Structures are given as C-alpha cells and as structure tokens.
Amino acid sequence: MQRISSITAALDNRKASALLAFHPKHVYYLTGFFTNARPFWQISQTCAVVLPDHNVFLLLPEPWKSDYTPHTEDPQIPKDVTVIEYSGGIPGFIAVIQSLLPHRPFLTILADLQWMSVPILKAFQKQMPDISLIDQHPVLEKARMVKNRYELELLKKAVSISDTGLTAAKNLISEGKTEWDIKLAIDSLMISIGSYGNGFNTKVISGANGSYAHHVPGNNVIEKGSSTIVDLSASTGPYESDSARTFLLKEPDNEIKEIHAGICELLDSLPNILIPGMPLEYLDHHIRSYLSHLSPTAVQAGNIGHGIGLQAHEYPDINSSCQETLLPNMILAIEPALYMPGKWGIRIENVYLIQYSGGEKLNRLETNYGNL
C-alpha cells in the first residue's frame, strides 16, 4: 500500500523504529478513525502507530473501541489496522506504545510533536528515557500533498458546497445587512446541503474591515459602494475546502473595480502555467509581481495560497521560501489578495487540481462572480 509504504520508507531513511501520529486528521489518514466530539485531552491520547514492518496500530482509550468501524472506502487506508484499547491513563498509554517497540535502548521515534501534550511528553521522558523523539509532522505533510481518486472526489464535493455558499452570499449581501447575519445564513445553508462543518469560521469582511485578513464577523453594517470579502470552507466527511469571492456593491470606487478585475484575470490565467514540475517559489514570484504592478501601494498577504485536503489549510504554503514543486493530483487553494489598511481589502480564492496538462479550476463559480 503506497501510503503506508511511504511512511515506512521515511522510517528507514531516518533509522527510526516507529511513527506516532496524534493529530486527529493524521490518525484518520493512517487508520480511518476520526473524532472531534471528545475533549481535547482525550483526543490527544488517541494515537496511530506505524512500524517498519508495515503494521499499523490504533490506540484508543477505554471504552472507545466500540466507536471504531474499519474504513473500507479509501483504498489507501489499511484494512488490517490492529485496534488496542488501553486503560490506566497516560502511564497505561505509554506502556502500550513501549510494548510495540523493539526491546533495545536508544530508539529513534518519529512523533507528532506539535500535537503531543505536555503530560504525554513528560511520561515518555520518565518511562522511556532512552528514546529520542523527532518531529514527524513533515513526513505526513509531504505524504498528504498528493491525493488519490477517493480524496479528489470528496474535495470536489466540498468545493461544490463552497460554491453554493458563495452564490448565496451574492443574494444576501446588500446595503444595511450585517456581516454576522450573512455569515449565519451561509453556514446554515451549507450544513443543510451536506457540509459536515467548516474548516474555519466563515469570514464576512466588509468595508474597512476588509483590510484585516482575519477579521471576525460582527455587527458591522454593509455600506453603499463597499467591497465585502466572503471566505469560507465546507467539508465532505473529514475533507475541507477553501474558497473566497469579493463582492462589490453598486458604484464602488474605480480603484477597487480595477483591482478586482485584475485579480480575476490573474486567477483565470493560472491553469496554463500550473504544470507539474513548476517550483512553488516561482509561482509565488509570478503572482506577487502581478499584484505589485496592479497596485504598488497595497499590502499583500504573507502566503499566496496553500494545499487543501484533510484540512482547509495544509502543506505546502505558497511563498518565496517553499521548496516544493507542483505534482500531479496536488490540490491548491490560490488566493491573491490586496489590502489597503483602514480602507478596503480584496481577496479572491480558487481551488486548482494539478494535472499533467495544467491546472483544473474546481470551482464552477466564475472567478469574477461578485460584482453586484
């Protein structure tokens, strides 16, 4: 199985005895088990263990074993995961992990350190002082960049739900409405048509608030001639989309109209250059150069885009320091944006599937959809 083989190859390259995954989406990726309905401290005590011999274990705190149903749809998730239900709290958890490892000192373990709780880390140091823990997050981040057919279908459905939410936004945004009212209506609609939830809180950002990329929707009233960013995520199962449009009310400022049109033209030209082998740092340079020409005085975002998949924002980030290249079946959300502090913001985001012939825009909604 390709997914597990890539993990065991990473273990071999690093001379490691196991990989431990704690992040809920990593656990799902390796075992098909996913839950976010438990307290964080319980979720952090759920772990997927991959050994060099390709054996995969799912460690669940008692009495979670009854919650696990073997996943049969994604062909890359192992069908023979061994489920171990443990008791005894964190000491019992560490004891189970220890029982799976070779009985020799000075082992190297790849571990999801970004999601390992402090109590678990301290228990490792106490119960297995000879073990060296190395951050494995980059291993699974890179593995998750390329999607299989099952993942692609779920992501296409999630993007379709996002498109429906953005279509609704056009009908909801009008002078006198509040950001909060629009957000609630969009979220309710997406859930009613099949979204399992949002990868992040829906952003409805109007007027001067639009110059703050992560503004939280509130009671700000939509004003005549303003621009309103709607940035949202829908999910199909555990897979999450990310798309955005900027809506212009009647009689917007000419500068805003020109920048909006320019960003749309940029996004619509991208499929021709999104070819496997292109360095992502080059893509970043290409987009930033265009944006600088479009408005030399406006502020650009830190990242031009990112991967999507099990998370609405996942590796790789598109920036000048990214060392990755485009690969077939990689999916990217590309979101060129310009912000004028204290005045306005424009952000438009499409999702692209990388194919040998170029990029396929998965959003069926027009890029320039938003000129009211």
Side-chain angles (χ1 to χ4, degrees):
M1 182 174 295
Q2 185 177 356
R3 182 174 298 176
I4 300 304
S5 294
S6 68
I7 303 303
T8 55
L11 292 174
D12 183 61
N13 290 338
R14 293 163 175 78
K15 299 187 181 340
S17 298
L19 177 141
L20 311 180
F22 291 89
H23 190 295
K25 293 295 182 82
H26 284 168
V27 172
Y28 170 83
Y29 187 71
L30 296 171
T31 69
F33 177 82
F34 178 66
T35 180
N36 57 3
R38 308 277 184 164
F40 173 77
W41 67 269
Q42 288 183 334
I43 293 174
S44 70
Q45 292 179 32
T46 301
C47 180
V49 181
V50 181
L51 300 182
D53 60 5
H54 289 67
N55 279 321
V56 180
F57 298 85
L58 173 63
L59 277 55
L60 297 175
E62 190 180 44
W64 280 27
K65 188 173 183 178
S66 59
D67 290 353
Y68 177 69
T69 301
H71 195 287
T72 58
E73 294 178 300
D74 187 340
Q76 287 296 317
I77 291 178
K79 304 301 186 291
D80 54 353
V81 174
T82 301
V83 183
I84 300 177
E85 187 177 70
Y86 67 89
S87 58
I90 291 178
F93 177 54
I94 302 300
V96 171
I97 293 175
Q98 190 170 21
S99 71
L100 299 175
L101 301 176
H103 297 290
R104 63 173 186 268
F106 308 115
L107 299 178
T108 296
I109 304 296
L110 304 185
D112 208 346
L113 297 182
Q114 295 183 28
W115 274 77
M116 182 183 288
S117 69
V118 172
I120 290 177
L121 178 60
K122 288 184 176 179
F124 263 105
Q125 293 170 338
K126 179 180 180 181
Q127 293 177 238
M128 292 185 284
D130 291 336
I131 282 185
S132 175
L133 296 175
I134 298 175
D135 184 19
Q136 64 84 355
H137 206 76
V139 173
L140 287 179
E141 281 183 335
K142 290 179 73 70
R144 282 167 50 185
M145 285 196 307
V146 176
K147 274 62 179 181
N148 64 31
R149 183 176 300 177
Y150 174 79
E151 294 176 296
L152 292 178
E153 289 305 311
L154 291 185
L155 285 167
K156 287 177 180 179
K157 290 179 182 178
V159 172
S160 177
I161 295 173
S162 293
D163 281 350
T164 302
L166 292 170
T167 302
K170 182 173 182 178
N171 299 320
L172 291 165
I173 294 172
S174 60
E175 189 176 344
K177 290 279 190 68
T178 68
E179 296 170 340
W180 184 252
D181 288 339
I182 296 166
K183 167 193 156 46
L184 290 179
I186 293 171
D187 285 347
S188 177
L189 171 64
M190 291 196 299
I191 291 172
S192 73
I193 61 174
S195 177
Y196 283 55
N198 304 339
F200 55 84
N201 287 328
T202 297
K203 299 178 177 67
V204 179
I205 318 173
S206 182
N209 288 340
S211 63
Y212 306 103
H214 299 290
H215 168 76
V216 177
N219 291 320
N220 185 56
V221 175
I222 309 296
E223 297 180 353
K224 179 180 179 180
S226 63
S227 61
T228 301
I229 298 170
V230 178
D231 191 348
L232 49 76
S233 170
S235 63
T236 305
Y239 287 85
E240 301 172 353
S241 64
D242 187 2
S243 301
R245 292 292 182 270
T246 298
F247 298 90
L248 306 182
L249 265 67
K250 293 180 180 179
E251 302 176 19
D253 182 274
N254 284 336
E255 180 186 31
I256 295 176
K257 287 178 63 176
E258 291 174 3
I259 291 175
H260 187 280
I263 292 178
C264 289
E265 290 177 8
L266 168 64
L267 283 165
D268 285 339
S269 71
L270 289 181
N272 295 325
I273 69 169
L274 295 176
I275 305 296
M278 171 191 279
L280 287 181
E281 59 181 342
Y282 171 80
L283 179 61
D284 175 81
H285 175 74
H286 172 78
I287 293 175
R288 289 191 186 280
S289 296
Y290 184 97
L291 293 176
S292 295
H293 177 75
L294 196 59
S295 178
T297 58
V299 176
Q300 299 183 21
N303 289 321
I304 292 297
H306 51 82
I308 67 167
L310 285 169
Q311 294 172 279
H313 285 220
E314 66 180 37
Y315 187 81
D317 287 326
I318 303 174
N319 54 44
S320 60
S321 61
C322 181
Q323 298 301 304
E324 301 294 344
T325 59
L326 293 180
L327 299 171
N329 291 335
M330 179 186 285
I331 293 189
L332 297 175
I334 301 179
E335 49 181 334
L338 288 171
Y339 306 101
M340 190 61 70
K343 294 184 178 180
W344 50 261
I346 298 176
R347 179 163 74 250
I348 304 172
E349 183 173 23
N350 282 335
V351 176
Y352 298 90
L353 166 62
I354 308 304
Q355 299 178 320
Y356 286 104
S357 58
E360 176 190 353
K361 182 168 77 75
L362 297 186
N363 300 86
R364 299 309 173 198
L365 199 61
E366 299 90 344
T367 305
N368 63 1
Y369 188 84
N371 196 336
L372 304 181

